[in-house]
Amino acid sequence: MSIIRQESLFDLQDLYDLEPTQRFDAIFSAIDIQPILTVVSKKSRFGPPVKLNYAAMIYSLVIRISERIPFIKDLVHRLKHDFIFRLDCGFLVSDHVPSEAAFSRLITQISESDVLERVQETLLLQAISEGFITDDTVAIDATHIEARDQAPAKEEKPKSEPKKRGRKSKEEHEKWILEKAEKEANLSLYEKPIEAQLNVSLNDLRTLVPNDPKWGIKKNSEGKNTFWFGYKGHLAVGTKSQYILQSLFSSGSLNDGKAAIPLLKGIQERLPSLVIRFGTLDAGYDYVPIYEQIYRMKAQSVIAYNKKNESDPIGFDKYFAPTCVREHSYQYDSFDSKYETIKYTRPKECRDCPLAKDSLCQKVYKVKITTDLRRYTAPARGSKKWKDIYKQRTAVERVNAYLKEYFQLNQIRYRTGKRAKVHFDLVHLVYNASKLACDRLSVQTKLLNQAA
């Protein structure tokens, strides 16, 4: 079996070859902490004086992720006993070292706002303006994150009454319909089918997402179900630049497909200057509303097809390309963006076929993608271009693995979802800041080499 060598994510070595002071400054220069300071700083001139250096505390949380310091207590210990590290984090010689309780209060204040999301957006817009993000393809995937707390004991469900045999009476049936309608009306947004998200605002999609630790389930490489207690991190990654364009933090029980529309809407509304042409996702996102959202963004879906017990269409192959009388598949030729039409041409096997000469096998076959957004995509399913774009989806898998390996995504130590989300958002922010710092270093090195 041949080995496919993946391109490196980005060269962090250039960053870590620098002295700590220079390395920290490179990361800090990519992050605008002023909005965070506004949230955590004292709002009134009355009351006791402020004795804490909030800016340095924020930088310390950033460096904790970058330097892989596992616990806040370890961070406080290093700040107390490493004078140079304390100065590198921005503390003055006269500043008191914050306690664990002080850091805890700071994290609680941050968790009550969406300030980290706004800082992430500012960083991405800066990277776009500097020409480091030019992606036309976005890849979306989720990763599981285990909670460090012990999972609660499973509650024993009360035994339900045995169902009555036979058909319901008219009164019972009407009562059942009313109860079902009432139950569906009381469902939360993320308990409803995915299509309910299409016309909901981005703000509601992000504020209503459940983020408390829950039991999650997934299939491993052997096809067996595995369970974990905790969260899910959902990422939308630029396949070329490999920046995290949008992220969403949720309970571990949330279906992956229910995070796709919030991520896509986030790119559309928060990064309007970024023109996305393709969205590539695995078979876990094969839902009609996700195709619809990508279509509304004037982009094309490259999503693996999940058959879902559907029968094969007659007169078409497994990629939904038409077949001739002898069941040879037509070849994908081109896509007409003006009329949103896919063009297929006669199979090569039909060149010398007598049926083709008798006009029993048409030369060209055209179909509008709006006939069925799920089946008809541009480029067409099964074509070489479709497969090449789908391969780019591995970018998000590599970013997920990198966050866990080097940016402490698996080190969530908080009991509540709000505080756990702060850690997740910091990981997202530090990753993109490190990426931007590396890109800037690469440009500077290139300019110096050219000058020399």
Side-chain angles (χ1 to χ4, degrees):
M1 184 176 66
S2 60
I3 297 175
I4 300 175
R5 181 174 179 177
Q6 300 281 8
E7 294 181 5
S8 61
L9 182 63
F10 59 88
D11 194 3
L12 272 178
Q13 194 59 46
D14 293 336
L15 196 62
Y16 283 95
D17 283 343
L18 300 173
E19 293 296 324
T21 301
Q22 295 174 304
R23 180 167 69 251
F24 297 163
D25 286 345
I27 296 174
F28 294 159
S29 66
I31 302 174
D32 177 17
I33 69 163
Q34 192 57 47
I36 308 175
L37 276 176
T38 303
V39 168
V40 303
S41 297
K42 185 180 175 183
K43 304 297 186 295
S44 172
R45 61 187 179 87
F46 300 103
V50 176
K51 297 181 180 180
L52 298 174
N53 186 336
Y54 288 117
M57 291 177 70
I58 295 167
Y59 285 138
S60 299
L61 292 176
V62 169
I63 293 306
R64 179 197 161 214
I65 302 295
S66 176
E67 295 293 290
R68 292 171 241 166
I69 301 173
F71 301 104
I72 293 294
K73 67 177 182 180
D74 296 322
L75 175 64
V76 172
H77 181 270
R78 186 166 175 183
L79 286 171
K80 286 182 178 179
H81 297 91
D82 189 336
F83 179 72
I84 301 299
F85 177 77
R86 186 159 72 246
L87 294 180
D88 287 341
C89 288
F91 288 98
L92 302 176
V93 176
S94 57
D95 286 335
H96 294 281
V97 174
S99 62
E100 290 183 58
F103 274 108
S104 180
R105 289 191 294 271
L106 180 77
I107 291 168
T108 300
Q109 287 179 292
I110 295 173
S111 71
E112 298 297 329
S113 72
D114 64 347
V115 64
L116 290 179
E117 293 180 19
R118 288 187 273 120
V119 174
Q120 291 165 5
E121 181 181 347
T122 301
L123 189 153
L124 285 169
L125 292 173
Q126 183 62 35
I128 292 172
S129 67
E130 294 182 26
F132 297 128
I133 301 179
T134 57
D135 299 275
D136 65 353
T137 304
V138 60
I140 294 177
D141 203 1
T143 186
H144 73 282
I145 308 168
E146 292 187 13
R148 297 298 172 177
D149 288 336
Q150 186 176 0
K154 293 184 178 180
E155 297 180 2
E156 292 187 6
K157 295 182 179 179
K159 292 183 179 180
S160 58
E161 295 181 4
K163 293 183 179 179
K164 295 180 181 179
R165 295 185 178 183
R167 296 181 63 181
K168 293 183 176 69
S169 66
K170 184 178 179 181
E171 292 77 12
E172 288 176 331
H173 184 68
E174 290 177 352
K175 181 181 178 183
W176 176 78
I177 290 175
L178 290 173
E179 289 176 351
K180 183 180 178 182
E182 184 181 357
K183 184 178 179 181
E184 290 177 354
N186 292 329
L187 292 176
S188 66
L189 176 61
Y190 283 91
E191 290 175 330
K192 295 178 180 178
I194 298 177
E195 53 263 26
Q197 299 178 358
L198 281 170
N199 297 317
V200 177
S201 69
L202 176 62
N203 182 61
D204 287 343
L205 286 171
R206 296 197 69 91
T207 55
L208 296 176
V209 62
N211 56 23
D212 289 328
K214 299 288 184 182
W215 280 103
I217 181 173
K218 67 171 184 175
K219 288 189 180 295
N220 59 20
S221 58
E222 298 176 353
K224 296 180 180 179
N225 288 334
T226 57
F227 300 87
W228 83 94
F229 180 76
Y231 313 95
K232 274 186 181 179
H234 309 267
L235 301 183
V237 173
T239 58
K240 181 181 178 182
S241 67
Q242 297 181 357
Y243 279 84
I244 301 173
L245 304 179
Q246 288 291 297
S247 66
L248 192 71
F249 183 75
S250 76
S251 301
S253 58
L254 187 73
N255 180 281
D256 291 357
K258 292 186 176 181
I261 291 178
L263 293 173
L264 291 166
K265 283 191 175 184
I267 295 173
Q268 184 180 24
E269 296 184 21
R270 294 181 172 182
L271 306 174
S273 61
L274 196 62
V275 180
I276 298 298
R277 294 180 58 211
F278 303 103
T280 178
L281 305 88
D282 64 25
Y285 297 87
D286 183 28
Y287 295 95
V288 173
I290 297 176
Y291 291 89
E292 176 65 28
Q293 177 59 38
I294 295 175
Y295 176 74
R296 291 183 182 185
M297 295 170 64
K298 298 180 179 179
Q300 299 296 331
S301 304
V302 180
I303 305 175
Y305 195 80
N306 189 349
K307 202 168 182 180
K308 299 178 182 177
N309 298 321
E310 298 167 335
S311 58
D312 294 329
I314 299 174
F316 298 86
D317 65 10
K318 63 180 181 179
Y319 298 118
F320 309 106
T323 57
C324 69
V325 178
R326 293 187 173 181
E327 297 188 355
H328 296 301
S329 298
Y330 276 64
Q331 304 298 311
Y332 169 69
D333 181 82
S334 59
F335 173 67
D336 187 336
S337 58
K338 181 179 180 181
Y339 298 101
E340 299 182 326
T341 302
I342 298 175
K343 178 183 176 182
Y344 294 94
T345 56
R346 182 183 290 163
K348 295 179 181 178
E349 295 86 351
C350 296
R351 288 177 180 175
D352 301 323
C353 179
L355 297 176
K357 294 178 182 179
D358 294 338
S359 300
L360 294 176
C361 184
Q362 65 188 74
K363 188 175 182 180
V364 174
Y365 186 98
K366 294 183 179 180
V367 60
K368 289 180 71 69
I369 62 171
T370 50
T371 304
D372 190 332
L373 290 172
R374 183 167 169 245
R375 291 185 173 184
Y376 298 109
T377 63
R381 290 185 180 278
S383 64
K384 183 179 182 301
K385 188 173 181 182
W386 188 97
K387 293 176 181 178
D388 289 341
I389 295 172
Y390 186 72
K391 287 178 183 177
Q392 297 179 35
R393 192 189 61 81
T394 57
V396 67
E397 295 176 347
R398 279 176 276 158
V399 172
N400 273 328
Y402 216 80
L403 294 182
K404 288 186 174 182
E405 185 71 21
Y406 298 105
F407 289 87
Q408 298 197 92
L409 185 58
N410 272 336
Q411 293 292 331
I412 292 184
R413 302 287 179 172
Y414 303 107
R415 296 180 183 273
T416 63
K418 278 188 175 182
R419 289 165 65 85
K421 184 179 181 297
V422 172
H423 180 89
F424 176 78
D425 286 341
L426 277 173
V427 168
H428 173 171
L429 180 62
V430 175
Y431 169 87
N432 276 351
S434 300
K435 182 73 174 71
L436 180 56
C438 285
D439 287 342
R440 287 173 172 174
L441 283 172
S442 298
V443 171
Q444 292 174 8
T445 304
K446 187 176 179 180
L447 292 175
L448 288 173
N449 291 338
Q450 290 176 349

